[in-house]
Amino acid sequence: MEFEAIIGLEVHTQLKTKSKMFCSCNADYAGHAPNTHVCPVCLAMPGSLPIVNEHAIELGMMTSLALNCAVGGINTFDRKNYHYPDNMKGYQITQFAQPIGLKGYLNITTDGYQKHIGITRVHLEEDVAKLTHTHDSNGLSCTIVDVNRSGLPLMEIVSEPDIRTAEEARQYLIKLRSILRYLDVSNADMEKGSFRCDANISLRPLGQKEFNHKVEVKNMNSFRAVFRAVEYEIERQQQIYLKGGTIVQETRGWVEEKGVTVSQRSKENANDYRYFPEPDIPPVFISQEWVEKVKNSLPELPDAKKERFMQELALDDYTSGQLTALKETAAYFEETVACLSHKWSLFERSKLAANWILGEVSRIMNDGLLNIDDFAAKVPPQNLAFLIEAAQNSVINNTTAKTVLNDMFISGQSSMIIIEQKGLKQISDDNAIIGIAYKVIDANPKAVEDYKSGKEETIKFLVGQVMRETKGQGNPQKALEILKSIL
């Protein structure tokens, strides 16, 4: 029997606001002592009242519009009731009946095809406190509670169950994070917990329309973890069905070290949370004028930027996709292009910058597990542009240019300083290269004989010998022309 995976993702992302969702506590709690960014509201003291963060509403509107959701009209907050030590009030203030965004979509491309993923809803809520499970001075297990995170603005983005494979799930998350970062509504850092994903996974026989019981998988803190957890859970459920068993609706946790999911608790349904309208927060009315104002403030998003790179800069689909996947990479690329000499056309400058950024720059970043901001701190776009020009103008050859780029990243110096200090300028003088060429020809009679007998590829060996004699500073094109002329 063949099965079809039905996957829906719930993504929680912390919003970049100065204060918390319902109080004026500083939202920048990272690195601060536990329980120092707190007040009666986020501590859930009796008599304290919440006030909605307007900036969080706007960030939610921006995200909803970028995800093609319907936005506007009455928005309400509700109480989601559950009892757990990280939930200070015994309930969470969230949106349920009338969320900020409804019925949107996100398009992804994976394995050569485009997939349309529906967005069920975008809603706002408050984050919970942080629990740390540890041992006390007597060695007994205990849990300590840090309330600094409690009340932080949190946005949940719920997809339709349109995802069918682990790779589609990964590409959906990569695309969604890219959009959030372009909008600058969130840091969307999975490893730091500001971008968290839960996956709802079920299987059904091919051709069946009804959904079977689903399993929710939590504790995934990287794209790789999501991919592996989804693949594992699909295989686990398939084996249960093939053996005649049934799937229990439950919540499972992903154990990265073992590569397995483990049961945590039975899965709640919406009615278990006893949602009801939050009596302390009046409805929020989002006018069309407000929607238009926010819509006009949206930046160029990754899909639009990719399309522009293809149309205006004549870059291919793959190159444009790589350059626009991250907002910071796209900005570094465009500034590099702007810094290059205008004696080259826009198409030529774009191609040069793209080749260097996706080539040597990416290699340096991958080797050091760095991001483009780390690289730009050492090699600003104008410095990379100067290096590209030096190579294009034959001040240095391409091999030397790659070495110079490494030195630029290590030292933070410009290319011209390094070239001058190390005496790396390319030797392009005909007389100098002619003398070396004769020396190489005299020293390699077998290669010369092979070339003259028709083995034209041998010339590359001789060019290599000229480059060796010049310690990499010879102009390889000049060397090729002179060797051919002499031979």
Side-chain angles (χ1 to χ4, degrees):
M1 182 181 293
E2 290 190 55
F3 293 92
E4 177 182 44
I6 309 297
I7 304 164
L9 299 181
E10 299 173 5
V11 173
H12 291 82
T13 188
Q14 291 177 348
L15 295 175
K16 290 175 70 173
T17 58
K18 291 183 179 179
S19 57
K20 293 186 180 181
M21 187 69 214
F22 300 114
C23 67
S24 59
C25 286
N26 191 337
D28 184 16
Y29 69 91
H32 291 260
N35 302 314
T36 54
H37 287 224
V38 295
C39 73
V41 174
C42 49
L43 284 169
M45 301 296 284
S48 60
L49 294 172
I51 299 175
V52 176
N53 186 325
E54 183 178 352
H55 189 210
I57 295 286
E58 289 200 339
L59 297 184
M61 291 169 65
M62 291 176 69
T63 304
S64 298
L65 290 168
L67 295 176
N68 308 290
C69 292
V71 180
I74 296 294
N75 277 241
T76 58
F77 285 88
D78 303 273
R79 287 189 181 183
K80 179 182 179 181
N81 294 274
Y82 68 93
H83 299 281
Y84 200 67
D86 63 4
N87 187 7
M88 310 311 297
K89 296 186 287 289
Y91 62 87
Q92 180 188 34
I93 301 177
T94 183
Q95 290 186 315
F96 180 68
Q98 294 173 295
I100 199 159
L102 280 170
K103 298 188 182 305
Y105 64 88
L106 179 63
N107 291 325
I108 63 169
T109 301
T110 178
D111 295 331
Y113 65 91
Q114 192 174 76
K115 184 72 179 283
H116 181 90
I117 310 295
I119 304 291
T120 309
R121 57 197 281 124
V122 176
H123 67 261
L124 301 176
E125 58 191 23
E126 58 181 339
D127 210 342
V128 295
K130 181 181 179 181
L131 302 182
T132 302
H133 305 290
T134 183
H135 295 84
D136 63 16
S137 57
N138 296 317
L140 298 174
S141 297
C142 66
T143 299
I144 55 177
V145 184
D146 181 3
V147 191
N148 281 348
R149 191 177 69 181
S150 181
L152 213 68
L154 203 61
M155 179 169 61
E156 182 171 1
I157 302 163
V158 182
S159 84
E160 290 286 325
D162 293 337
I163 298 169
R164 295 292 176 265
T165 68
E167 182 57 27
E168 287 182 7
R170 174 160 58 186
Q171 292 304 320
Y172 170 87
L173 291 174
I174 291 172
K175 183 72 170 288
L176 179 58
R177 185 183 69 167
S178 176
I179 290 172
L180 295 174
R181 288 184 168 178
Y182 266 81
L183 293 171
D184 199 29
V185 301
S186 174
N187 292 325
D189 192 326
M190 244 180 156
E191 292 184 356
K192 294 180 180 177
S194 61
F195 185 83
R196 312 195 288 269
C197 171
D198 300 331
N200 292 294
I201 306 162
S202 66
L203 261 62
R204 67 183 178 190
L206 278 178
Q208 177 180 306
K209 293 184 178 180
E210 298 79 17
F211 291 157
N212 289 334
H213 281 157
K214 65 183 178 182
V215 169
E216 182 179 35
V217 180
K218 293 179 175 288
N219 302 339
M220 301 170 290
N221 63 355
S222 68
F223 297 134
R224 179 175 179 269
V226 172
F227 180 87
R228 293 178 66 212
V230 170
E231 279 209 322
Y232 173 85
E233 191 57 29
I234 290 172
E235 178 63 23
R236 186 188 73 86
Q237 292 186 29
Q238 181 171 290
Q239 291 304 315
I240 291 174
Y241 281 129
L242 290 175
K243 293 175 182 177
T246 57
I247 299 298
V248 178
Q249 185 161 306
E250 63 178 338
T251 297
R252 298 178 70 87
W254 171 248
V255 183
E256 180 70 26
E257 300 77 20
K258 297 181 180 179
V260 299
T261 63
V262 295
S263 181
Q264 292 182 328
R265 63 179 183 271
S266 60
K267 173 66 177 164
E268 301 91 344
N269 291 308
N271 58 351
D272 294 323
Y273 292 122
R274 296 183 297 114
Y275 284 100
F276 64 86
E278 169 55 65
D280 293 329
I281 300 177
V284 176
F285 178 69
I286 298 177
S287 67
Q288 277 307 117
E289 290 78 12
W290 194 3
V291 172
E292 288 301 315
K293 177 186 174 184
V294 172
K295 185 182 291 185
N296 292 334
S297 73
L298 294 180
E300 186 181 37
L301 294 174
D303 281 351
K305 193 178 287 288
K306 176 184 174 183
E307 186 65 25
R308 177 168 63 84
F309 282 8
M310 293 172 67
Q311 296 297 325
E312 295 182 6
L313 308 182
L315 296 175
D316 61 62
D317 182 87
Y318 175 80
T319 300
S320 299
Q322 291 292 303
L323 291 171
T324 57
L326 294 176
K327 174 184 176 182
E328 297 79 10
T329 304
Y332 188 89
F333 162 75
E334 290 196 272
E335 194 169 341
T336 302
V337 172
C339 291
L340 282 168
S341 171
H342 285 225
K343 74 177 184 180
W344 296 302
S345 71
L346 178 61
F347 300 145
E348 291 171 325
R349 285 182 280 138
S350 300
K351 186 71 173 175
L352 286 169
N355 287 343
W356 274 90
I357 291 170
L358 298 182
E360 286 304 301
V361 171
S362 293
R363 181 190 61 76
I364 291 173
M365 290 193 298
N366 291 337
D367 287 348
L369 299 177
L370 307 168
N371 58 44
I372 193 69
D373 287 338
D374 297 325
F375 183 84
K378 290 293 193 71
V379 185
Q382 62 267 31
N383 282 8
L384 178 63
F386 293 154
L387 175 66
I388 294 172
E389 289 184 13
Q392 289 300 114
N393 293 330
S394 297
V395 176
I396 53 177
N397 59 47
N398 281 329
T399 302
T400 302
K402 294 174 183 179
T403 302
V404 171
L405 183 61
N406 277 315
D407 291 345
M408 289 168 66
F409 178 72
I410 293 169
S411 68
Q413 293 179 315
S414 72
S415 57
M416 297 315 297
I417 290 176
I418 294 171
I419 292 168
E420 289 293 340
Q421 286 181 345
K422 295 192 173 183
L424 298 176
K425 282 188 177 179
Q426 185 167 257
I427 300 171
S428 296
D429 178 67
D430 284 5
N431 291 328
I433 295 178
I434 287 171
I436 296 170
Y438 274 112
K439 179 179 177 183
V440 166
I441 288 170
D442 290 342
N444 297 276
K446 180 67 169 59
V448 171
E449 183 181 338
D450 288 343
Y451 178 76
K452 288 185 173 181
S453 66
K455 297 180 180 178
E456 294 189 1
E457 287 295 307
T458 312
I459 197 74
K460 293 180 180 179
F461 168 76
L462 296 172
V463 170
Q465 294 304 301
V466 171
M467 296 303 293
R468 181 181 177 184
E469 288 290 327
T470 60
K471 298 180 179 178
Q473 291 177 242
N475 184 322
Q477 188 59 39
K478 285 266 188 185
L480 177 64
E481 292 169 2
I482 289 171
L483 283 166
K484 281 186 175 181
S485 175
I486 294 172
L487 293 173

